[in-house]
Amino acid sequence: MKRGAAALILALLAFAFWRAARSVTPAGIQGLKPEERAAIQLKTLEDILASKNDNDPRLDSDFEDLSPRAKSLFRAKYRELAPELRNERGTIVYILGKNPSSGEDWDFLAHAAAEPPCWSLADCSKKAKTAAEADDEVTLAYPALVALRQAQRMLQEPGKGGKDRKEALAVVKAGKGSKMPAVTRMAARIEQ
């Protein structure tokens, strides 16, 4: 009986947290403790990934001012996702690449640009079994291409120079070393 009651209480607390996270607006989380705010932002990210909605407006509103803790949680989420979840991984790269502000942010983008190739959406480590899947190199390279696009955006931003420029060029250099043709082509175009 005690276990059942404890499980019920935990379920109710989880539901209350989930409901609170869904009802807090981006402006409403500003007054929260950093850990609470990061947890809510992670929950929002997980909701977006589960919905598979690339056009979710929260992508451009709820992640504008990520704390180092939130960024760390997002990077951990990226690492725990299966490599075959190209869209989900690319979405995280997009969010973290919107406003890179630390060496860890730039290292993450460079790592994404240089990650091992994904040969098939069924199993990244195995060559594609169908011609259609093999031809979809943009999907297979999506996280790396997003990382390069974010670096390119930074390089084209007026007034950006110094450390940001150097870091963005390091992401491009990482992409040039990729074994994925779509990535190396984009890196070469950016470098020119």
Side-chain angles (χ1 to χ4, degrees):
M1 184 76 163
K2 287 183 181 181
R3 283 188 183 168
L8 178 62
I9 290 170
L10 285 175
L12 288 173
L13 285 172
F15 176 74
F17 178 77
W18 173 81
R19 187 165 171 107
R22 291 186 55 87
S23 65
V24 176
T25 63
I29 67 171
Q30 296 301 326
L32 297 176
K33 292 179 185 175
E35 300 82 25
E36 294 170 334
R37 186 172 168 208
I40 289 171
Q41 288 174 317
L42 178 62
K43 176 64 177 136
T44 301
L45 171 67
E46 289 170 341
D47 288 347
I48 292 170
L49 296 179
S51 75
K52 300 195 181 293
N53 180 3
D54 293 345
N55 297 313
D56 191 308
R58 295 176 293 177
L59 288 169
D60 294 317
S61 63
D62 287 19
F63 307 116
E64 288 303 312
D65 188 26
L66 293 175
S67 68
R69 175 68 180 141
K71 290 178 179 183
S72 176
L73 291 172
F74 283 32
R75 287 190 296 269
K77 182 69 179 175
Y78 183 90
R79 287 188 301 271
E80 79 180 36
L81 290 173
E84 293 78 16
L85 296 174
R86 308 312 286 164
N87 189 55
E88 290 84 346
R89 290 169 69 95
T91 298
I92 294 173
V93 173
Y94 169 77
I95 292 168
L96 292 176
K98 284 174 55 170
N99 190 18
S101 59
S102 70
E104 291 170 325
D105 296 342
W106 287 108
D107 288 346
F108 173 79
L109 292 174
H111 173 76
E115 70 184 6
C118 179
W119 302 114
S120 166
L121 293 176
D123 183 345
C124 278
S125 67
K126 296 180 180 170
K127 294 284 184 182
K129 292 183 180 180
T130 66
E133 191 175 54
D135 290 341
D136 196 3
E137 65 179 23
V138 170
T139 299
L140 294 171
Y142 187 61
L145 295 174
V146 173
L148 288 172
R149 185 74 176 125
Q150 295 297 61
Q152 180 183 32
R153 183 185 52 78
M154 189 64 66
L155 289 168
Q156 293 173 341
E157 201 170 293
K160 285 290 182 179
K163 187 174 190 285
D164 285 335
R165 183 169 180 74
K166 181 180 173 187
E167 297 282 13
L169 287 171
V171 173
V172 174
K173 183 178 179 184
K176 283 184 67 179
S178 174
K179 298 206 182 331
M180 301 182 82
V183 176
T184 55
R185 282 193 307 270
M186 183 174 187
R189 277 195 309 270
I190 294 169
E191 193 174 58
Q192 290 175 352

